[in-house]
Amino acid sequence: FEFLREMRKRPAFADVPVIVVTAKELTVEDVRILSGQTEQIIAKDEAYLTELAAAVRGRLARIPVREAEGITS
C-alpha cells in the first residue's frame, strides 16, 4: 500500500493505471484503500491469468490511439 501512496504523490505517476494481483486475503479496509488507488483488484486463483489479460486488454482499449502511439502534437 505504501508503494501506491508514494507513486500517486508524484505528478508523473498520478494517473498511471494499476491492476493489483494478490494471493493475500484482503480485508474490507484493504479493498477500500486499494479501490481508491487502483484500476482493478484480481485475486490470484486458477483463473487469474485470464482475468488479468482481459483487464489489460480492456484498459488498453480505452487509451486514445494518439496517446498509445506516443504522439503528443
Side-chain angles (χ1 to χ4, degrees):
F1 300 154
E2 184 65 27
F3 172 79
L4 283 173
R5 275 192 290 274
E6 291 301 315
M7 185 178 116
R8 295 295 183 213
K9 286 181 185 177
R10 299 173 185 262
F13 300 108
D15 296 325
V16 172
V18 173
I19 298 172
V20 171
V21 178
T22 183
K24 180 184 176 199
E25 191 71 32
L26 298 176
T27 66
V28 172
E29 181 66 11
D30 292 338
V31 172
R32 185 190 67 75
I33 292 168
L34 287 173
S35 293
Q37 300 182 54
T38 62
E39 180 105 356
Q40 189 169 348
I41 303 167
I42 297 173
K44 199 180 242 187
D45 58 16
E46 306 83 37
Y48 87 94
L49 288 175
T50 302
E51 188 176 355
L52 177 60
V56 170
R57 276 193 303 274
R59 181 62 180 111
L60 290 174
R62 293 191 306 269
I63 296 174
V65 173
R66 294 175 64 79
E67 182 181 334
E69 293 176 350
I71 301 169
T72 57
S73 57

Coordinates of all heavy atoms in Angstrom, one line a residue:
F1 N 0.8 -1.2 0.0 CA 0.0 0.0 0.0 C 0.9 1.3 0.0 O 0.5 2.2 -0.6 CB -0.9 0.0 1.2 CG -1.9 -1.2 1.2 CD1 -2.4 -1.6 2.4 CD2 -2.3 -1.8 0.1 CE1 -3.3 -2.7 2.4 CE2 -3.1 -2.9 0.1 CZ -3.7 -3.3 1.3
E2 N 2.0 1.2 0.7 CA 2.9 2.3 0.8 C 3.4 2.7 -0.6 O 3.5 3.9 -0.9 CB 4.0 2.0 1.7 CG 5.0 3.2 2.0 CD 4.3 4.4 2.6 OE1 3.3 4.2 3.4 OE2 4.8 5.5 2.4
F3 N 3.7 1.7 -1.4 CA 4.2 2.0 -2.8 C 3.2 2.8 -3.6 O 3.6 3.8 -4.2 CB 4.5 0.6 -3.5 CG 4.9 0.8 -4.9 CD1 6.1 1.3 -5.3 CD2 3.9 0.6 -5.9 CE1 6.4 1.5 -6.6 CE2 4.2 0.8 -7.2 CZ 5.5 1.2 -7.6
L4 N 1.9 2.4 -3.5 CA 0.9 3.1 -4.3 C 0.7 4.5 -3.7 O 0.6 5.4 -4.5 CB -0.4 2.4 -4.2 CG -0.6 1.1 -5.0 CD1 -1.9 0.4 -4.7 CD2 -0.5 1.5 -6.5
R5 N 0.8 4.7 -2.4 CA 0.7 6.1 -1.9 C 1.8 6.9 -2.4 O 1.6 8.1 -2.8 CB 0.7 6.0 -0.4 CG -0.7 5.8 0.2 CD -0.7 6.0 1.7 NE 0.1 5.0 2.5 CZ -0.3 3.9 2.9 NH1 -1.6 3.6 2.7 NH2 0.4 3.0 3.5
E6 N 3.0 6.4 -2.4 CA 4.2 7.2 -2.8 C 4.1 7.5 -4.3 O 4.4 8.5 -4.8 CB 5.5 6.5 -2.4 CG 5.8 6.5 -1.0 CD 5.8 7.9 -0.4 OE1 6.5 8.8 -1.0 OE2 5.2 8.1 0.7
M7 N 3.7 6.5 -5.1 CA 3.6 6.6 -6.5 C 2.6 7.7 -6.9 O 2.8 8.5 -7.7 CB 3.2 5.3 -7.1 CG 3.1 5.3 -8.6 SD 2.7 3.7 -9.3 CE 1.1 4.1 -10.1
R8 N 1.4 7.7 -6.2 CA 0.4 8.7 -6.5 C 0.7 10.1 -6.1 O 0.2 11.0 -6.6 CB -0.9 8.3 -5.8 CG -1.5 7.0 -6.3 CD -1.9 7.1 -7.8 NE -2.5 5.8 -8.2 CZ -2.4 5.3 -9.4 NH1 -1.8 6.0 -10.3 NH2 -3.0 4.2 -9.8
K9 N 1.7 10.3 -5.2 CA 2.2 11.6 -4.8 C 2.9 12.3 -6.0 O 3.0 13.5 -6.0 CB 3.1 11.5 -3.6 CG 2.4 11.2 -2.3 CD 3.4 11.2 -1.2 CE 2.8 10.8 0.1 NZ 3.8 10.7 1.2
R10 N 3.5 11.5 -6.9 CA 4.3 12.0 -8.0 C 3.4 12.4 -9.2 O 2.8 11.5 -9.7 CB 5.4 11.1 -8.3 CG 6.3 10.8 -7.2 CD 7.3 9.7 -7.5 NE 8.1 9.3 -6.4 CZ 9.3 9.8 -6.2 NH1 9.9 10.6 -7.1 NH2 10.0 9.4 -5.2
P11 N 3.5 13.6 -9.6 CA 2.6 14.0 -10.7 C 2.7 13.1 -12.0 O 1.7 12.8 -12.6 CB 3.0 15.5 -11.0 CG 3.6 15.9 -9.7 CD 4.2 14.7 -9.1
A12 N 3.9 12.7 -12.3 CA 4.1 11.9 -13.5 C 3.4 10.5 -13.4 O 3.1 9.9 -14.4 CB 5.6 11.7 -13.7
F13 N 3.2 10.1 -12.2 CA 2.6 8.8 -12.0 C 1.2 8.8 -11.4 O 0.6 7.8 -11.1 CB 3.5 7.9 -11.1 CG 4.9 7.7 -11.6 CD1 6.0 8.3 -11.1 CD2 5.1 6.9 -12.7 CE1 7.2 8.2 -11.6 CE2 6.3 6.7 -13.2 CZ 7.4 7.4 -12.7
A14 N 0.7 10.0 -11.2 CA -0.6 10.1 -10.5 C -1.8 9.4 -11.3 O -2.7 8.9 -10.7 CB -1.0 11.6 -10.3
D15 N -1.7 9.4 -12.6 CA -2.8 8.8 -13.4 C -2.4 7.5 -14.0 O -3.2 7.0 -14.9 CB -3.2 9.8 -14.5 CG -3.8 11.1 -13.9 OD1 -4.4 11.0 -12.9 OD2 -3.5 12.2 -14.5
V16 N -1.3 6.9 -13.6 CA -0.9 5.6 -14.2 C -1.9 4.5 -13.7 O -2.1 4.4 -12.5 CB 0.5 5.2 -13.8 CG1 0.9 3.8 -14.2 CG2 1.5 6.2 -14.4
P17 N -2.5 3.8 -14.6 CA -3.4 2.7 -14.1 C -2.7 1.6 -13.5 O -1.6 1.2 -13.9 CB -4.1 2.3 -15.4 CG -3.3 2.7 -16.5 CD -2.5 3.9 -16.0
V18 N -3.2 1.1 -12.4 CA -2.6 0.0 -11.6 C -3.6 -1.1 -11.5 O -4.8 -0.9 -11.0 CB -2.1 0.5 -10.2 CG1 -1.6 -0.7 -9.4 CG2 -1.0 1.5 -10.4
I19 N -3.2 -2.3 -11.8 CA -4.0 -3.5 -11.6 C -3.3 -4.3 -10.6 O -2.1 -4.7 -10.8 CB -4.2 -4.3 -12.9 CG1 -5.0 -3.5 -13.9 CG2 -5.0 -5.6 -12.6 CD1 -5.1 -4.1 -15.3
V20 N -3.9 -4.6 -9.5 CA -3.3 -5.4 -8.4 C -3.7 -6.8 -8.5 O -4.9 -7.2 -8.7 CB -3.7 -4.8 -7.0 CG1 -3.2 -5.8 -5.9 CG2 -3.2 -3.4 -6.8
V21 N -2.7 -7.7 -8.5 CA -2.9 -9.2 -8.4 C -2.3 -9.6 -7.1 O -1.2 -9.4 -6.8 CB -2.2 -9.9 -9.6 CG1 -2.4 -11.4 -9.5 CG2 -2.7 -9.4 -11.0
T22 N -3.2 -10.3 -6.3 CA -2.8 -10.6 -5.0 C -3.3 -12.0 -4.6 O -4.4 -12.4 -5.0 CB -3.2 -9.6 -3.9 OG1 -2.7 -10.0 -2.7 CG2 -4.7 -9.5 -3.9
A23 N -2.4 -12.7 -3.8 CA -2.8 -14.0 -3.3 C -3.3 -13.8 -1.8 O -3.8 -14.7 -1.2 CB -1.7 -15.0 -3.3
K24 N -3.1 -12.6 -1.3 CA -3.4 -12.3 0.1 C -5.0 -12.2 0.2 O -5.6 -11.7 -0.7 CB -2.8 -10.9 0.4 CG -3.1 -10.5 1.8 CD -2.5 -9.1 2.1 CE -2.9 -8.7 3.5 NZ -2.7 -7.2 3.7
E25 N -5.4 -12.6 1.3 CA -6.8 -12.4 1.7 C -7.0 -11.0 2.1 O -6.5 -10.6 3.2 CB -7.2 -13.4 2.8 CG -8.7 -13.5 3.0 CD -9.5 -14.2 1.9 OE1 -8.9 -15.1 1.2 OE2 -10.6 -13.8 1.7
L26 N -7.7 -10.2 1.3 CA -7.8 -8.7 1.7 C -9.0 -8.5 2.6 O -10.0 -9.1 2.5 CB -8.0 -7.9 0.4 CG -6.9 -8.0 -0.6 CD1 -7.3 -7.2 -1.9 CD2 -5.6 -7.4 -0.1
T27 N -8.7 -7.6 3.5 CA -9.8 -7.2 4.4 C -10.7 -6.2 3.7 O -10.3 -5.6 2.7 CB -9.2 -6.5 5.7 OG1 -8.6 -5.3 5.4 CG2 -8.2 -7.5 6.4
V28 N -11.8 -5.9 4.3 CA -12.7 -4.8 3.8 C -11.9 -3.5 3.7 O -12.0 -2.8 2.7 CB -14.0 -4.7 4.6 CG1 -14.8 -3.5 4.2 CG2 -14.8 -6.0 4.6
E29 N -11.1 -3.2 4.7 CA -10.3 -2.0 4.8 C -9.3 -2.0 3.7 O -9.1 -1.0 3.0 CB -9.7 -1.8 6.1 CG -8.9 -0.5 6.3 CD -9.7 0.7 6.2 OE1 -10.9 0.7 6.2 OE2 -9.1 1.8 6.1
D30 N -8.6 -3.1 3.4 CA -7.6 -3.2 2.3 C -8.3 -2.9 1.0 O -7.8 -2.1 0.2 CB -7.0 -4.6 2.3 CG -6.2 -5.0 3.4 OD1 -5.7 -4.1 4.1 OD2 -6.0 -6.2 3.6
V31 N -9.4 -3.5 0.8 CA -10.2 -3.3 -0.5 C -10.6 -1.8 -0.6 O -10.4 -1.2 -1.7 CB -11.4 -4.2 -0.6 CG1 -12.2 -3.8 -1.8 CG2 -11.0 -5.7 -0.7
R32 N -11.0 -1.2 0.5 CA -11.4 0.2 0.4 C -10.2 1.1 0.0 O -10.3 1.9 -0.8 CB -11.9 0.7 1.8 CG -12.5 2.1 1.8 CD -12.8 2.6 3.2 NE -11.6 2.7 4.0 CZ -10.7 3.7 3.9 NH1 -10.8 4.7 3.0 NH2 -9.6 3.8 4.7
I33 N -9.1 0.8 0.6 CA -7.8 1.6 0.3 C -7.4 1.4 -1.1 O -7.1 2.4 -1.8 CB -6.7 1.2 1.3 CG1 -7.1 1.7 2.7 CG2 -5.4 1.8 0.9 CD1 -6.2 1.1 3.8
L34 N -7.3 0.2 -1.5 CA -6.9 -0.1 -2.9 C -7.9 0.4 -3.9 O -7.5 0.8 -5.0 CB -6.7 -1.6 -3.1 CG -5.4 -2.2 -2.4 CD1 -5.4 -3.7 -2.5 CD2 -4.2 -1.6 -2.9
S35 N -9.1 0.3 -3.7 CA -10.1 0.7 -4.6 C -10.0 2.2 -5.0 O -10.3 2.6 -6.1 CB -11.6 0.5 -4.1 OG -11.8 -0.9 -4.0
G36 N -9.5 3.0 -4.1 CA -9.3 4.4 -4.5 C -8.0 4.7 -5.2 O -7.8 5.8 -5.7
Q37 N -7.1 3.7 -5.3 CA -5.8 3.9 -6.0 C -5.5 3.0 -7.1 O -4.5 3.1 -7.8 CB -4.7 3.7 -4.9 CG -4.8 4.6 -3.8 CD -3.7 4.4 -2.8 OE1 -2.5 4.4 -3.2 NE2 -4.0 4.2 -1.5
T38 N -6.4 2.0 -7.4 CA -6.1 1.0 -8.4 C -7.3 0.9 -9.4 O -8.4 1.3 -9.1 CB -5.9 -0.4 -7.8 OG1 -7.1 -0.8 -7.2 CG2 -4.8 -0.4 -6.9
E39 N -7.0 0.4 -10.6 CA -8.0 0.2 -11.6 C -8.8 -1.0 -11.3 O -10.0 -1.0 -11.5 CB -7.2 0.0 -12.9 CG -8.1 -0.2 -14.1 CD -8.2 1.0 -15.0 OE1 -7.6 2.1 -14.7 OE2 -8.8 0.9 -16.0
Q40 N -8.1 -2.1 -10.8 CA -8.8 -3.3 -10.5 C -8.0 -4.1 -9.5 O -6.7 -4.0 -9.5 CB -9.0 -4.1 -11.8 CG -9.8 -5.3 -11.7 CD -10.2 -5.9 -13.1 OE1 -10.0 -5.2 -14.1 NE2 -10.7 -7.1 -13.1
I41 N -8.7 -5.0 -8.8 CA -8.0 -5.9 -7.9 C -8.4 -7.3 -8.3 O -9.6 -7.6 -8.5 CB -8.5 -5.7 -6.4 CG1 -8.2 -4.3 -6.0 CG2 -7.8 -6.7 -5.5 CD1 -8.9 -3.9 -4.7
I42 N -7.4 -8.1 -8.6 CA -7.6 -9.5 -9.0 C -7.0 -10.5 -8.0 O -5.9 -10.4 -7.6 CB -6.9 -9.7 -10.4 CG1 -7.6 -8.8 -11.4 CG2 -7.1 -11.2 -10.9 CD1 -6.9 -8.8 -12.8
A43 N -7.9 -11.4 -7.6 CA -7.4 -12.5 -6.7 C -6.6 -13.5 -7.5 O -7.1 -14.0 -8.5 CB -8.6 -13.1 -6.0
K44 N -5.5 -13.9 -6.9 CA -4.7 -14.9 -7.6 C -5.3 -16.3 -7.3 O -5.2 -16.8 -6.3 CB -3.2 -14.8 -7.1 CG -2.2 -15.5 -8.0 CD -0.9 -15.3 -7.4 CE 0.0 -14.5 -8.3 NZ 1.4 -14.5 -7.8
D45 N -5.9 -16.8 -8.4 CA -6.5 -18.2 -8.3 C -6.3 -18.9 -9.6 O -5.5 -18.4 -10.4 CB -8.0 -18.1 -7.9 CG -8.8 -17.3 -8.9 OD1 -8.3 -17.0 -10.1 OD2 -10.0 -16.9 -8.6
E46 N -7.0 -19.9 -9.9 CA -6.8 -20.7 -11.1 C -7.0 -19.9 -12.4 O -6.4 -20.2 -13.4 CB -7.7 -22.0 -11.1 CG -7.6 -22.9 -9.9 CD -8.5 -22.4 -8.8 OE1 -9.6 -21.8 -9.0 OE2 -8.0 -22.5 -7.6
A47 N -7.9 -19.0 -12.3 CA -8.3 -18.2 -13.5 C -7.7 -16.8 -13.5 O -8.1 -16.0 -14.4 CB -9.9 -18.1 -13.5
Y48 N -6.8 -16.5 -12.7 CA -6.4 -15.1 -12.6 C -5.7 -14.6 -13.8 O -5.8 -13.4 -14.2 CB -5.5 -14.8 -11.3 CG -4.0 -15.1 -11.5 CD1 -3.2 -14.1 -11.8 CD2 -3.5 -16.4 -11.3 CE1 -1.8 -14.3 -12.0 CE2 -2.2 -16.6 -11.4 CZ -1.3 -15.6 -11.7 OH 0.0 -15.9 -11.9
L49 N -4.9 -15.5 -14.5 CA -4.3 -15.0 -15.8 C -5.2 -14.6 -16.8 O -5.0 -13.6 -17.5 CB -3.3 -16.1 -16.3 CG -2.1 -16.3 -15.4 CD1 -1.3 -17.5 -16.0 CD2 -1.2 -15.1 -15.4
T50 N -6.3 -15.3 -16.9 CA -7.4 -15.0 -17.9 C -8.0 -13.6 -17.5 O -8.2 -12.7 -18.4 CB -8.5 -16.0 -18.0 OG1 -7.8 -17.3 -18.3 CG2 -9.5 -15.7 -19.0
E51 N -8.3 -13.5 -16.3 CA -8.9 -12.2 -15.8 C -7.9 -11.0 -15.9 O -8.3 -9.9 -16.4 CB -9.3 -12.3 -14.3 CG -10.1 -11.2 -13.8 CD -10.5 -11.4 -12.3 OE1 -10.3 -12.5 -11.8 OE2 -11.1 -10.4 -11.8
L52 N -6.6 -11.3 -15.7 CA -5.6 -10.2 -15.8 C -5.5 -9.8 -17.3 O -5.4 -8.6 -17.6 CB -4.2 -10.7 -15.3 CG -3.1 -9.8 -15.4 CD1 -3.3 -8.4 -14.7 CD2 -1.8 -10.4 -14.9
A53 N -5.4 -10.8 -18.2 CA -5.3 -10.5 -19.6 C -6.5 -9.7 -20.1 O -6.4 -8.7 -20.8 CB -5.2 -11.8 -20.4
A54 N -7.7 -10.0 -19.6 CA -8.9 -9.3 -20.0 C -8.9 -7.9 -19.5 O -9.2 -6.9 -20.1 CB -10.1 -10.0 -19.5
A55 N -8.4 -7.7 -18.2 CA -8.3 -6.4 -17.6 C -7.3 -5.5 -18.4 O -7.6 -4.3 -18.6 CB -7.9 -6.5 -16.2
V56 N -6.2 -6.1 -18.8 CA -5.2 -5.3 -19.5 C -5.7 -4.9 -20.9 O -5.6 -3.8 -21.3 CB -3.8 -6.1 -19.6 CG1 -2.9 -5.4 -20.5 CG2 -3.2 -6.2 -18.2
R57 N -6.3 -5.9 -21.6 CA -6.9 -5.6 -22.9 C -7.9 -4.5 -22.8 O -8.0 -3.6 -23.6 CB -7.5 -6.9 -23.5 CG -6.5 -7.8 -24.2 CD -7.2 -8.8 -25.1 NE -8.1 -9.7 -24.3 CZ -7.7 -10.8 -23.7 NH1 -6.4 -11.2 -23.7 NH2 -8.6 -11.5 -23.0
G58 N -8.8 -4.6 -21.8 CA -9.9 -3.7 -21.6 C -9.3 -2.3 -21.3 O -9.8 -1.3 -21.9
R59 N -8.3 -2.2 -20.5 CA -7.6 -0.9 -20.2 C -7.0 -0.3 -21.4 O -7.1 0.8 -21.7 CB -6.6 -1.1 -19.1 CG -6.0 0.2 -18.7 CD -7.0 1.2 -18.2 NE -6.4 2.4 -17.8 CZ -6.6 3.6 -18.4 NH1 -7.4 3.6 -19.5 NH2 -6.1 4.7 -18.0
L60 N -6.3 -1.1 -22.2 CA -5.6 -0.7 -23.4 C -6.6 -0.2 -24.5 O -6.3 0.7 -25.2 CB -4.7 -1.7 -24.0 CG -3.5 -2.1 -23.2 CD1 -2.7 -3.2 -23.8 CD2 -2.5 -0.8 -23.1
A61 N -7.8 -0.8 -24.5 CA -8.8 -0.4 -25.4 C -9.3 1.0 -25.2 O -9.9 1.6 -26.0 CB -9.9 -1.4 -25.4
R62 N -9.2 1.4 -23.9 CA -9.7 2.8 -23.6 C -8.7 3.9 -23.7 O -9.0 5.0 -23.5 CB -10.2 2.8 -22.1 CG -11.4 1.9 -21.9 CD -12.0 2.1 -20.5 NE -11.1 1.9 -19.4 CZ -10.9 0.8 -18.8 NH1 -11.5 -0.3 -19.2 NH2 -10.1 0.7 -17.7
I63 N -7.4 3.5 -24.2 CA -6.4 4.6 -24.4 C -6.6 5.1 -25.8 O -6.6 4.4 -26.8 CB -5.0 3.9 -24.2 CG1 -4.8 3.4 -22.8 CG2 -3.9 5.0 -24.6 CD1 -3.5 2.7 -22.7
P64 N -6.7 6.4 -25.9 CA -6.7 7.0 -27.3 C -5.5 6.6 -28.1 O -4.4 6.5 -27.6 CB -6.7 8.5 -27.0 CG -7.2 8.7 -25.6 CD -6.7 7.4 -24.9
V65 N -5.7 6.4 -29.4 CA -4.7 6.0 -30.3 C -3.5 6.9 -30.2 O -2.3 6.5 -30.1 CB -5.2 5.8 -31.7 CG1 -4.0 5.5 -32.7 CG2 -6.2 4.7 -31.8
R66 N -3.7 8.2 -30.2 CA -2.6 9.2 -30.2 C -1.7 9.0 -28.9 O -0.5 9.1 -29.0 CB -3.1 10.6 -30.3 CG -3.8 10.9 -31.6 CD -4.4 12.3 -31.7 NE -3.4 13.3 -31.6 CZ -2.6 13.8 -32.5 NH1 -2.7 13.3 -33.7 NH2 -1.8 14.8 -32.3
E67 N -2.4 8.7 -27.8 CA -1.6 8.5 -26.6 C -0.8 7.2 -26.6 O 0.3 7.2 -26.2 CB -2.6 8.6 -25.4 CG -1.9 8.4 -24.1 CD -2.9 8.4 -22.9 OE1 -4.0 9.0 -23.1 OE2 -2.6 7.8 -21.9
A68 N -1.5 6.2 -27.1 CA -0.9 4.9 -27.1 C 0.3 4.8 -28.0 O 1.3 4.1 -27.8 CB -1.9 3.8 -27.6
E69 N 0.3 5.6 -29.1 CA 1.4 5.7 -30.0 C 2.5 6.7 -29.6 O 3.5 6.9 -30.3 CB 0.9 6.0 -31.4 CG 0.1 4.9 -32.0 CD -0.5 5.3 -33.4 OE1 -0.4 6.4 -33.8 OE2 -1.1 4.4 -34.0
G70 N 2.3 7.4 -28.5 CA 3.2 8.4 -28.0 C 3.2 9.7 -28.8 O 4.2 10.4 -28.8
I71 N 2.1 9.9 -29.5 CA 2.0 11.2 -30.3 C 1.5 12.3 -29.4 O 0.5 12.1 -28.8 CB 1.0 11.0 -31.5 CG1 1.6 9.9 -32.4 CG2 0.9 12.3 -32.3 CD1 0.6 9.4 -33.5
T72 N 2.2 13.4 -29.3 CA 1.9 14.4 -28.4 C 1.4 15.7 -29.1 O 0.8 16.6 -28.5 CB 3.0 14.8 -27.5 OG1 4.1 15.2 -28.3 CG2 3.4 13.6 -26.6
S73 N 1.5 15.8 -30.4 CA 1.1 17.0 -31.0 C 0.1 16.7 -32.2 O -0.1 15.6 -32.5 CB 2.3 17.8 -31.6 OG 3.0 17.0 -32.5

